[in-house]
Every structure is written in structure tokens, then in C-alpha cells.
Amino acid sequence: MPRSATAQVCFVCAAALPAALVPLQAFAAVYMSAADAAHLMFPEASAFTPRPLSLTAEQRQLIAAHAGGGGPPNTAFWKVVTATAGDRLLGYVVTDSVIGKFDLIDYAVALAPDGTIRDVEILAYREAHGGEVRTAAWRRQFVGKTASAPLAIGDDIANISGATLSCTHLTDGIRRIATYGQLVLAKG
């Protein structure tokens, strides 16, 4: 290779080197633990008791049929606690994780004993964009709704520009949890 060609190749390599050395920025924010969320959503509770999650095949199919979004729910990430004040049932907190665009979003849904959504909290958000799903205004759209509401982006839940996948996947997950609350938890 002629000397001038070698110099050109070295110059191109050296120019690209600083960009290659710039570390990728990681966007992750852990806002609260599941226990913190439970206390925030049920401040009047005197106890939070883990509730075993065991769904029959029939219950999984029933949730899938009512919640939409494909087959039976993937409950691998679901954790359920019962909130009580003395011997009075206040409701349930169900935590879950869904994929935003690329990374997991951890969230918690508070349900009243009848399965009505009482509150939604974002526990951890790891995406580079779309953290606005954590705003009170966006989360408040779910409060008071049940599994019989559409709970769909563009219908009764507003989208956030730049966070369409995060909004959609969170809404789908919350709809599945609301359906579980109404079809399983509210039935005892």
C-alpha cells in the first residue's frame, strides 16, 4: 500500500476512535420498591401479606379471553400482596414487569377488593425515552377503571408521543392485572 494510502486509513481510523470510546449512556431509574409502592397506595394498611399466585389453566384462559392481547398472561413477574387494616381487606397490590421498547418497566397496580384500579405506580423505568409514563396525570387515567373498561391506548388511555410502546405495553399489562383482579381476586 502506498504511503499516502496508509496515512489516509490511519487518519480515518483515528477520527472514528473517539466516537467508539464514548460510553453508551444507560437510562435507568429506580423510583421505589414494591413495598414502598404498597405503603404509598394503601397508607391506611396495617399489614401487607404475600398472596400465592396460582392460576388454573381455566383462569388463565379466562383472563386471556377478557383481557385480549394474545394468549394467557405471563405471570412470571407477578407478585401479589393483600393490604389489610386489622381484619378488614383494603385491596391488593400486584407488581409486574413489561418490556417498554427495549427494556423492562417495573410497575405496581393497587386494586380495591372488587377489582377496581385504585392506583398505578412506576417502580423502575429503564428506557432512554418515555419516562413521562411516571407522571401522575398519565397514571391517573387508570384510577377507578375495571376490567370492563376498554383500557386501550387511543380509546380511554392517552398515548405519550415518543413513548408509544411503553404506554401500550404498560396499558396491556394493567388491563391483564385488572382482569385478574375482577375475575379471580374479587371472587375470593
Side-chain angles (χ1 to χ4, degrees), residues 29-187:
V30 176
Y31 299 107
M32 66 184 78
S33 69
D36 291 339
H39 287 281
L40 181 65
M41 295 189 286
F42 287 101
E44 69 276 30
S46 58
F48 294 96
T49 308
R51 178 185 172 109
L53 177 67
S54 59
L55 295 174
T56 66
E58 181 181 341
Q59 288 171 324
R60 286 178 182 278
Q61 291 302 326
L62 190 60
I63 292 169
H66 282 80
N74 177 1
T75 58
F77 293 113
W78 286 18
K79 303 262 185 294
V80 183
V81 295
T82 302
T84 55
D87 59 355
R88 184 172 59 97
L89 174 64
L90 299 174
Y92 307 93
V93 177
V94 182
T95 57
D96 186 21
S97 297
V98 294
I99 295 288
K101 183 174 184 179
F102 300 112
D103 295 308
L104 287 176
I105 302 168
D106 302 337
Y107 65 103
V109 179
L111 300 169
D114 68 354
T116 301
I117 298 172
R118 180 175 161 143
D119 200 356
V120 174
E121 285 291 339
I122 304 301
L123 306 178
Y125 192 83
R126 298 171 181 89
E127 294 289 348
H129 301 286
E132 297 87 354
V133 296
R134 186 168 183 266
T135 64
W138 192 80
R139 294 180 294 109
R140 196 176 312 118
Q141 298 177 89
F142 296 94
V143 176
K145 300 217 170 133
T146 65
S148 60
L151 290 174
I153 295 296
D155 196 341
D156 61 340
I157 304 298
N159 187 34
I160 297 171
S161 180
T164 300
L165 291 175
S166 293
C167 290
T168 300
H169 297 161
L170 277 166
T171 300
D172 291 347
I174 293 166
R175 185 178 57 250
R176 284 188 294 272
I177 289 171
T179 303
Y180 164 70
Q182 197 165 14
L183 297 178
V184 178
L185 292 175
K187 305 256 187 231

Side-chain angles (χ1 to χ4, degrees), residues 4-32:
S4 63
T6 305
Q8 288 175 343
V9 170
C10 289
F11 175 74
V12 170
C13 290
L17 189 60
L21 294 178
V22 173
L24 294 176
Q25 288 185 329
F27 295 93
V30 176
Y31 299 107
M32 66 184 78

